[in-house]
């Protein structure tokens, strides 16, 4: 293929189509008409001699050739964008940027009630899309540009990623008021005898399990969930106990019939970081958003 005759704008269309898997949504993302995007897709199919996206039911699925091109094209477009924007001034007040962030419901509860009013004041055109944080760092989604940021707890990051400290947190035990096994308080033996609800919060192994394992101890986990907010309601309505972040525990103790107990063993704080690709350190709009998030974490 002769690159000198290839319309590079078609790559933006292909990137949008692979992100959205829908012609109408891709057109909206690109601020183009639906016929213009359909025409561009037809040109791409002819140039690359591949259907690229095929309809399966109501959805469009990429072909193996399209999936092969997705990562390199997205990386190239991002590098071009960063090179062109380097040294330019970012004006949040007039930005129409869209950012996609992965986090737990707990981090979302802490951050968004304070970040959204801030954005409404400084950057009313900016849009945020939040995805649920999986138990592992979603490295592939960050590299493909499907995610801009991840906010969570990670013990180690691969070299191609960078993390900025957002906030530190401790843990407490929550139980329903009048829990029959906790009338005399909570010590280690009683903690091990209780039936537990575990919120994995984007982790494959929690701090409590790590400490217990080092001591050769095991607690009985009868229910696990990725949802911090639901855990407090379950604990309030049952005899299951949960270990929750202290800020969340105190918040729900003011709303639900819950009692709070300190852990019967010493655990240090854990830290939540804002993680992005190292390559995007020069992405001015993204780094502006990171700065806003970190500033709110310091005051959480």
């Amino acid at each position: 293929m002769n690159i000198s005759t290839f319309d590079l704008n078609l790559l933006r269309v292909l990137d949008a189509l692979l992100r959205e898997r829908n012609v109408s949504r891709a057109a909206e993302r690109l601020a183009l008409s639906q016929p213009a995007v359909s025409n561009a897709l037809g040109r791409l199919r002819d140039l690359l001699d591949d259907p690229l996206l095929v309809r399966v039911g109501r959805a469009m699925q990429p072909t193996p050739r399209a999936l092969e091109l997705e990562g390199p094209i997205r990386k190239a477009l991002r590098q071009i964008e960063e090179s062109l924007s380097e040294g330019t001034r970012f004006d949040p007040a007039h930005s129409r940027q869209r950012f996609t962030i992965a986090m737990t419901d707990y981090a979302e509860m802490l951050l968004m009630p304070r970040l959204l009013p801030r954005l409404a004041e400084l950057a009313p055109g900016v849009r945020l899309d939040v995805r649920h944080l999986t138990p592992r760092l979603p490295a592939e989604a960050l590299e493909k540009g499907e995610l801009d940021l991840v906010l969570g707890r990670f013990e180690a990051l691969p070299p191609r990623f960078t993390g900025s400290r957002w906030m530190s947190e401790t843990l407490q035990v929550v139980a329903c008021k009048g829990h029959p096994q906790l009338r005399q308080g909570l010590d280690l033996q009683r903690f091990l005898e209780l039936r537990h609800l575990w919120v994995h919060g984007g982790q494959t192994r929690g701090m409590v399990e790590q400490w217990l394992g080092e001591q050769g101890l095991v607690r009985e986990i009868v229910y696990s969930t990725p949802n911090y907010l639901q855990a407090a309601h379950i604990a309030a309505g049952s005899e299951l106990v949960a270990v929750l972040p202290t800020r969340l525990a105190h918040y729900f103790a003011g709303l639900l019939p819950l009692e709070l107990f300190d852990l019967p063993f010493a655990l240090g704080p854990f830290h939540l970081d804002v993680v992005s690709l190292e390559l995007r350190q020069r992405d001015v709009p993204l780094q502006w958003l990171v700065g806003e998030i970190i500033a709110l974490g310091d005051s959480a």
Side-chain angles (χ1 to χ4, degrees):
M1 178 181 295
N2 186 353
I3 190 66
S4 64
T5 61
F6 188 90
D7 184 355
L8 296 180
N9 285 317
L10 293 176
L11 298 183
R12 293 182 61 245
V13 175
L14 181 56
D15 176 57
L17 285 166
L18 289 171
R19 289 177 186 272
E20 301 293 347
R21 312 286 174 92
N22 179 281
V23 172
S24 297
R25 290 199 300 270
E28 182 181 351
R29 173 185 281 269
L30 294 165
L32 296 173
S33 68
Q34 184 173 335
V37 173
S38 295
N39 179 62
L41 177 58
R43 292 172 61 194
L44 282 162
R45 284 168 168 165
D46 290 340
L47 288 165
L48 298 174
D49 192 25
D50 189 274
L52 298 174
L53 290 110
V54 295
R55 186 164 296 282
V56 179
R58 295 185 177 181
M60 297 186 76
Q61 297 297 328
T63 65
R65 174 63 170 152
L67 291 174
E68 183 181 74
L69 291 168
E70 183 176 18
I73 287 174
R74 194 160 294 160
K75 182 178 180 180
L77 289 173
R78 186 165 58 238
Q79 288 177 331
I80 291 171
E81 182 179 349
E82 290 173 4
S83 297
L84 292 174
S85 64
E86 191 170 349
T88 61
R89 180 175 176 271
F90 171 60
D91 182 7
H94 296 94
S95 174
R96 305 294 296 178
Q97 196 91 15
R98 180 166 75 172
F99 300 99
T100 305
I101 309 172
M103 64 181 75
T104 64
D105 57 344
Y106 164 59
E108 186 176 7
M109 189 195 81
L110 283 183
L111 175 62
M112 291 306 169
R114 293 177 300 133
L115 179 61
L116 291 177
R118 178 80 173 159
L119 294 182
E121 176 187 356
L122 299 178
V126 165
R127 172 179 168 181
L128 300 181
D129 295 330
V130 172
R131 309 275 177 85
H132 185 71
L133 181 62
T134 59
R136 298 185 185 278
L137 176 72
E140 184 178 355
L142 285 165
E143 290 174 323
K144 286 184 175 181
E146 295 169 358
L147 291 174
D148 296 299
L149 297 172
V150 175
L151 204 163
R153 180 170 74 88
F154 307 101
E155 294 182 3
L157 293 174
R160 61 190 185 280
F161 299 99
T162 183
S164 301
R165 180 63 43 81
W166 180 50
M167 57 169 273
S168 298
E169 178 65 290
T170 55
L171 296 170
Q172 279 195 302
V173 179
V174 301
C176 66
K177 279 194 173 179
H179 194 293
Q181 291 176 268
L182 294 173
R183 289 170 183 156
Q184 306 302 317
L186 180 63
D187 57 20
L188 179 57
Q189 182 60 40
R190 195 165 287 115
F191 181 85
L192 297 175
E193 293 170 353
L194 291 165
R195 288 158 53 84
H196 290 258
L197 180 164
W198 179 47
V199 188
H200 55 68
Q203 297 295 310
T204 54
R205 189 179 187 218
M207 295 171 63
V208 172
E209 262 56 56
Q210 183 174 339
W211 186 90
L212 291 174
E214 291 169 355
Q215 317 306 313
L217 302 173
V218 178
R219 62 172 171 160
E220 184 184 6
I221 296 173
V222 299
Y223 182 78
S224 64
T225 175
N227 301 310
Y228 283 101
L229 307 188
Q230 186 64 24
H233 289 273
I234 293 173
S238 71
E239 292 186 4
L240 299 183
V241 301
V243 178
L244 298 180
T246 297
R247 288 178 177 85
L248 186 67
H250 280 268
Y251 174 78
F252 274 108
L255 300 176
L256 300 169
L258 289 169
E259 290 186 77
L260 306 184
F261 300 87
D262 291 333
L263 283 168
F265 44 87
L267 284 184
F270 66 92
H271 310 291
L272 296 174
D273 295 326
V274 183
V275 176
S276 63
L277 270 179
E278 178 69 33
L279 285 174
R280 300 193 67 180
Q281 288 299 290
R282 293 184 297 172
D283 185 327
V284 178
L286 183 63
Q287 294 310 311
W288 176 84
L289 179 62
V290 170
E292 293 295 321
I293 292 173
I294 290 173
L296 293 174
D298 292 338
S299 61

